[in-house]
Amino acid sequence: MTEKPNLTRFSVAPLASMTRQLAAVASGRAEPDRVLTGARLLSTYSDRILPDREVWIGGGRIAAVMPAGTYRGPAERIDLGGGLLAPGLVDPHLHIESSMVTACAYAEAALLNGTTTIVCDSHEIGNVLDVNGVEWMLEDARQAPLNIYLTVPSTVPATSPDLETAGGDLTAAKIAALFDQWPEAIGLGEKMDFVAVCEGDPRAHAIIAASLERGRPVSGHIYGRGFVSAYAASGVTDTHEAIDRDIADDLLEAGIWIYLRGGPPTTPWHSLPKAIGTVLDYGASAKRVCVCTDDRDAQDLLAFGLDWVVREAVRLGIPKAQAWAMGSLHPATRYGLDGEIGGFGGGRRADLVLLDDDLVPQSTWYGGECVVKDRSITPLLDAALSQPYRYPAPAYATVHLPDPLPGLVPALPAGPVRVNAIRTTLPGIELTHEVFDLTPSADWPTTLAANDLTFVTVIERHGRSGTVAHGLLRAFGLKRGAVASSVGHDSHNVIVAGLNEADMRVALDAIGTIQGGVCVVEDGAVVALVPLPVAGLLSDKRVTAVAGEVRVLKDAWTRAGCTIPYMGFNLIPLSVIPEIRITDKGLVLVPGMRIVPLFEAS
């Protein structure tokens, strides 16, 4: 086998071992490896654009920034022709698993979009495979041509075994061990059980303590202004869930960094336009404000990277240099990495991006090596991506559906009942608890059509309980067939919605056969399928191939009539977001965290 190119985070030696070499280059006593000259520099330190500069690079790090034309020696000189050179972007919060690709594959899309560092929370794979899954993803990350850091998953399972069945259980002791064994574990991942935190739950606070005792910051996930004070007092110092300017303002004043989440406008994730009002409308300083992506599927990862989020901030009124700093220096500073990345200071990694005047990345240097040129990956990067990390065999065997499958639809009530239904509306993050009286017709098809209802069922898939729960979606819009996914956040049991049991079973059979995926079924046939064999969450293909599969899925999803996107559908079991969810244990009311029956006496 051809030796894999040395293109990882570890390709650049630690600064402590390079200071004499870099000082020699900066003072002219040694030659740089290469010089990027003739550029305008986007300074994240001063939020301004500096004309006519050049960057001297040695050993994959910045040795010096000088006036253009200063260097006249024999080293390679690359003339950037007056282009705008910026530090690589740093995404402070995302889930690799949402992209449906591995860390190695993720790197390709990130570098194309000018992102050279990411901070991921691998709670998805942790919910399926416990500590093993987190560590396998870390091994994957170490082989990727990208700087990948971890915020250790904090809320696995997202709630409790009383409310859902997960494949993992990350206790405070397990989390402490991950911190102690993996230096790239730089913080605690989003503490999603915010109600439990604010109410003083011992387990939640023991997990927070494991991070604070090691001097690591704690990331958050919170809905509701009334929770902000108790959340901040519990040690949480960032969140990406600010949905409007008022809670964003509350969070900043409570000492909590805010990550403005930008998502494609057709998805549930685009909260940036409202939350940015704390800066644009209320005049808050942006010094503790970052931008992030949070969740992207493979197609959107290519089209809507962190660079797109920065441009959205500019479109809304943030100056260009400040917006880019919100996507580079600010996240680096938040995690104490600003001595390594995020700006053009001497000694920093030479993770650089050449932009056009609209802040669209054209070329990317990673550790001083050109990995993207003229918006295409270079042979060096292609070779690195061609030999990805291979997950161990147990990661390919995680979908254990009950055999035989129990009934996938509830029995038709014999008479009038009161229904606890789930109303789905765009963008699909929050779901409405709708209670109504139902007088059933002679059969389910007539009853569903008359009341704008769709079956929804969650099936435990970790081989632990085999539990199945039934629900009804209102206004989901499905016109025919069924849709199903093994990416049912956050315990990742299988969720299937349909208008008849036969098509729902076809969808489940497809997912079980390939050990995970997302599919659309029409008239007994699978018409779109994205296979996700690694933990039922990830493909082992290149990101471009998966993006093509996702495009076909989205087209079929739209034709089927679904009123929320498939990523919103995947959130229907997420039992930490208001106001009603369905897990394998039943219908869960949030934030009350209690289970209610589907049908009650009318």
Side-chain angles (χ1 to χ4, degrees), residues 265-317:
T266 56
T267 72
W269 323 124
H270 200 45
S271 54
L272 181 149
K274 292 183 178 180
I276 205 170
T278 184
V279 176
L280 295 176
D281 302 333
Y282 294 164
S285 168
K287 66 184 178 182
R288 290 171 66 88
V289 178
C290 308
V291 290
C292 77
T293 58
D294 193 9
D295 294 283
R296 291 287 193 276
D297 65 36
Q299 184 187 20
D300 287 345
L301 182 62
L302 289 164
F304 299 97
L306 189 61
D307 60 314
W308 178 84
V309 185
V310 170
R311 292 193 296 274
E312 278 291 286
V314 173
R315 183 183 65 82
L316 292 164

Side-chain angles (χ1 to χ4, degrees), residues 145-506:
L146 193 70
N147 305 330
I148 302 180
Y149 294 94
L150 173 75
T151 52
V152 178
S154 67
T155 320
V156 176
T159 52
S160 75
D162 294 333
L163 298 178
E164 59 189 331
T165 305
D169 180 18
L170 293 184
T171 62
K174 291 177 181 178
I175 288 168
L178 284 165
F179 276 128
D180 294 341
Q181 293 168 20
W182 296 87
E184 50 267 75
I186 59 172
L188 188 68
E190 56 178 304
K191 202 73 190 80
M192 297 191 303
D193 53 344
F194 63 93
V195 175
V197 170
C198 294
E199 291 182 350
D201 177 74
R203 173 183 166 118
H205 282 263
I207 287 170
I208 290 172
S211 184
L212 296 178
E213 288 166 357
R214 290 162 175 78
R216 306 294 206 282
V218 177
S219 296
H221 167 121
I222 183 173
Y223 282 83
R225 297 176 71 183
F227 293 100
V228 170
S229 294
Y231 209 44
S234 299
V236 177
T237 45
D238 74 53
T239 183
H240 57 284
E241 296 288 0
I243 61 172
D244 58 40
R245 63 186 182 180
D246 293 317
I247 192 169
D249 214 53
D250 292 349
L251 291 162
L252 285 179
E253 293 299 342
I256 295 176
W257 288 74
I258 58 171
Y259 302 161
L260 300 172
R261 179 175 58 203
T266 56
T267 72
W269 323 124
H270 200 45
S271 54
L272 181 149
K274 292 183 178 180
I276 205 170
T278 184
V279 176
L280 295 176
D281 302 333
Y282 294 164
S285 168
K287 66 184 178 182
R288 290 171 66 88
V289 178
C290 308
V291 290
C292 77
T293 58
D294 193 9
D295 294 283
R296 291 287 193 276
D297 65 36
Q299 184 187 20
D300 287 345
L301 182 62
L302 289 164
F304 299 97
L306 189 61
D307 60 314
W308 178 84
V309 185
V310 170
R311 292 193 296 274
E312 278 291 286
V314 173
R315 183 183 65 82
L316 292 164
I318 301 293
K320 284 184 180 180
Q322 184 182 63
W324 196 269
M326 288 162 57
S328 54
L329 179 63
H330 293 201
T333 302
R334 189 279 181 273
Y335 289 110
L337 297 171
D338 51 313
E340 184 78 356
I341 53 176
F344 284 103
R348 274 61 169 183
R349 285 182 56 101
D351 297 340
L352 310 173
V353 186
L354 181 66
L355 306 167
D356 67 15
D357 285 346
D358 294 322
L359 302 186
V360 176
Q362 306 297 307
S363 300
T364 305
W365 288 264
Y366 177 63
E369 300 291 340
C370 187
V371 292
V372 174
K373 185 176 182 181
D374 298 328
R375 304 187 71 177
S376 297
I377 66 172
T378 63
L380 176 66
L381 179 57
D382 186 58
L385 295 168
S386 297
Q387 298 181 40
Y389 172 78
R390 174 74 179 182
Y391 280 75
Y396 285 83
T398 64
V399 178
H400 308 286
L401 297 176
D403 186 16
L405 276 174
L408 298 181
V409 302
L412 184 68
V417 292
R418 180 158 293 176
V419 179
N420 287 299
I422 301 170
R423 174 174 281 274
T424 60
T425 57
L426 287 171
I429 294 181
E430 295 193 34
L431 302 172
T432 304
H433 179 202
E434 189 159 313
V435 182
F436 63 93
D437 292 325
L438 173 71
T439 299
S441 303
D443 55 38
W444 265 125
T446 307
T447 302
L448 295 178
N451 294 276
D452 194 13
L453 297 174
T454 303
F455 295 124
V456 62
T457 302
V458 174
I459 304 99
E460 192 272 328
R461 63 105 157 175
H462 304 293
R464 297 184 176 226
S465 64
T467 46
V468 174
H470 303 121
L472 290 168
L473 301 177
R474 198 162 205 184
F476 185 60
L478 187 67
K479 294 183 292 189
R480 58 186 176 274
V483 294
S485 174
S486 59
V487 189
H489 295 283
D490 271 329
S491 289
H492 299 294
N493 292 306
V494 177
I495 177 172
V496 56
L499 296 177
N500 64 81
E501 186 163 18
D503 281 335
M504 293 168 73
R505 287 185 179 274
V506 170

